[in-house]
Amino acid sequence: MHKITLVTGGTGNLGGHVVTQMVGQGRPVRALSRRPPAAGEAPGVEWCQGDLAAGEGLERALEGVDTIVHCATDGRTRRGDVVAAQNLVEAAARADGPHIVFVSIIGVDRHPLGYYQAKYDTELLIEASGLPYTILRAAQFHDMLHYALHQASRLPVMPVLARTSFQSVDTAHVASRTVELSTGDPCGRVADLPGPHTLTMTDMARTYLRLTGRRRPILPLVAPGSVPRAYRQGLHLAAAPQPGSRSFEDFLREGPAVKVPAAARKTAR
Ligand SMILES: NC(=O)c1ccc[n+]([C@@H]2O[C@H](COP(=O)([O-])OP(=O)(O)OC[C@H]3O[C@@H](n4cnc5c(N)ncnc54)[C@H](OP(=O)(O)O)[C@@H]3O)[C@@H](O)[C@H]2O)c1
């Protein structure tokens, strides 16, 4: 009989897919959120209110849990995710020492973006926790690139990062690999998970304009600073893309809603 899997960030983009797939497989799932559920939200899921950053509600959240899928993130503060992970692993160590599956980002150990550095610190913290763990580094989700292009297309001229490529990946595909890893034994760090193509941001912008029927001149910009340079150098890329999941173009063809990523929420409010 399955014990309970706790999904942190179960109301988020990746976590939402993870929860849905696990419920579909008949696995007992508990979703952690800072808020109560909306009416009719998350059928088949046990809801647990708690706050990782404040360390609240975690003891209850971890009761009877043998696996944690850690998808919660709050891009509004640079160190917030590290504090949240610290509280989570401490609470997990006091509980039954469950397997923790963490979804990180490709290149976090070499890329200077503050959000990525916090992800890397979180990886190190989990590795040093003494808990059984699995870490999966994924590429940027299609939703993230879609959001960036949607924002850029609101201007009369569409700015994009020049000489910068992405290997964006479908969120449901990352969720399905995450679910698979959560059912197996802890494996430490597993192979990176990029999407099926390496595409320049300019090409992605062309595809976005074509499929949304918009007309904008595209303006590739060489932005100054270490972070844009790191993107130009491809420090966020895997050695090669990985075929077998939905392409960015097919994702756009299906007319996705614009999802605001956590890191952008502060300014979007
Ligand atoms: N987006 C990408 O392109 C990408 C690429 C590779 C890896 N990843 C990683 O994948 C993971 C999921 O990303 P995502 O984009 O799916 O995230 P998301 O949609 O922004 O979801 C964030 C989730 O975190 C929860 N959360 C935030 N602060 C919390 C706190 N203090 N206590 C409890 N829950 C909290 C939120 O729940 P409530 O608001 O309900 O409390 C929400 O469900 C992250 O670790 C991210 O770094 C993302």
Side-chain angles (χ1 to χ4, degrees):
M1 199 179 100
H2 291 302
K3 287 186 83 182
I4 297 164
T5 299
L6 176 69
V7 182
T8 74
T11 56
N13 186 16
L14 175 65
H17 284 282
V18 168
V19 163
T20 305
Q21 291 181 20
M22 284 185 175
V23 169
Q25 293 174 10
R27 285 177 57 182
V29 183
R30 184 178 295 155
L32 181 76
S33 171
R34 289 165 295 183
R35 60 171 177 79
E41 186 175 6
V45 178
E46 185 190 340
W47 197 276
C48 185
Q49 223 174 313
D51 188 324
L52 288 164
E56 287 166 8
L58 304 187
E59 196 177 323
R60 203 169 7 97
L62 285 158
E63 263 169 37
V65 164
D66 67 353
T67 309
I68 302 170
V69 176
H70 182 37
C71 301
T73 188
D74 186 349
R76 292 176 303 169
T77 61
R78 184 173 160 164
R79 303 310 299 168
D81 279 1
V82 185
V83 173
Q86 178 81 48
N87 288 334
L88 181 64
V89 297
E90 283 174 7
R94 286 193 299 272
D96 290 341
H99 174 198
I100 178 160
V101 180
F102 175 55
V103 182
S104 185
I105 305 173
I106 296 172
V108 289
D109 53 338
R110 50 185 190 251
H111 198 292
L113 185 70
Y115 181 73
Y116 292 176
Q117 290 183 354
K119 285 265 95 69
Y120 185 47
D121 288 346
T122 302
E123 288 187 5
L124 296 177
L125 194 152
I126 289 171
E127 285 170 11
S129 69
L131 294 169
Y133 71 88
T134 302
I135 294 174
L136 171 67
R137 290 184 180 173
Q140 289 65 39
F141 301 160
H142 291 331
D143 312 81
M144 176 75 92
L145 270 303
H146 178 219
Y147 174 77
L149 295 171
H150 172 78
Q151 290 296 94
S153 75
R154 294 166 70 178
L155 300 168
V157 172
M158 192 172 175
V160 296
L161 293 171
R163 305 201 298 268
T164 302
S165 297
F166 290 93
Q167 295 167 331
S168 69
V169 65
D170 196 57
T171 315
H173 180 65
V174 178
S176 124
R177 176 72 178 131
T178 306
V179 170
E180 180 185 34
L181 291 168
S182 76
T183 56
D185 291 333
C187 329
R189 223 185 99 207
V190 297
D192 291 350
L193 185 54
H197 301 112
T198 305
L199 301 169
T200 65
M201 199 171 179
T202 302
D203 280 341
M204 295 176 105
R206 283 199 193 102
T207 304
Y208 174 85
L209 291 174
R210 176 167 50 84
L211 292 178
T212 55
R214 294 179 189 202
R215 295 166 77 87
R216 294 277 184 289
I218 297 170
L219 179 65
L221 292 174
V222 178
S226 61
V227 169
R229 190 182 320 121
Y231 279 113
R232 284 194 294 279
Q233 290 170 334
L235 301 189
H236 59 297
L237 298 177
Q242 187 175 296
S245 66
R246 186 165 63 151
S247 68
F248 184 64
E249 178 155 348
D250 285 345
F251 164 83
L252 288 182
R253 272 185 208 291
E254 284 160 36
V258 177
K259 286 190 182 140
V260 183
R265 256 174 227 144
K266 188 176 184 183
T267 45
R269 270 188 190 129

